[in-house]
Amino acid sequence: MNSLRQIRAVTWMNLSSIAQRFGTSSVIIVGIAGVVAVLISVLAMATGFQRTIVATGRDDRAIVLRGGSDSELASTLSR
């Protein structure tokens, strides 16, 4: 009989604190959802960029860069 009283007391304590735990739990859920959304968007952008680069390249073309240039926009070649 004593254990039944303890079970009832613990159950009542847990049920009465649902409102307090709801706020904390919702903050955690929103935070995790935000992190997942950012991760998915970054992975989607990376995949789109990769597909764009693969689809636009051709085997019979080359880019000639001036010496010391790291990118296509930083290089100029005069005629």
Side-chain angles (χ1 to χ4, degrees), residues 22 49 64:
F22 180 74
F49 183 70
V64 179

Side-chain angles (χ1 to χ4, degrees), residues 1-78:
M1 200 64 165
N2 194 16
S3 64
L4 187 59
R5 192 177 301 160
Q6 287 176 348
I7 292 172
R8 195 172 341 140
V10 170
T11 303
W12 174 252
M13 185 174 58
N14 284 329
L15 290 176
S16 65
S17 67
I18 283 179
Q20 295 170 349
R21 289 182 287 139
F22 180 74
T24 306
S25 298
S26 63
V27 168
I28 292 170
I29 289 170
V30 168
I32 291 172
V35 169
V36 169
V38 169
L39 178 65
I40 288 173
S41 64
V42 169
L43 289 175
M45 286 190 300
T47 301
F49 183 70
Q50 244 179 353
R51 288 184 182 175
T52 300
I53 296 298
V54 168
T56 58
R58 288 180 48 177
D59 291 338
D60 61 343
R61 291 207 177 149
I63 296 175
V64 179
L65 299 177
R66 178 178 64 173
S69 294
D70 292 336
S71 68
E72 178 181 356
L73 296 175
S75 177
T76 57
L77 294 174
S78 61

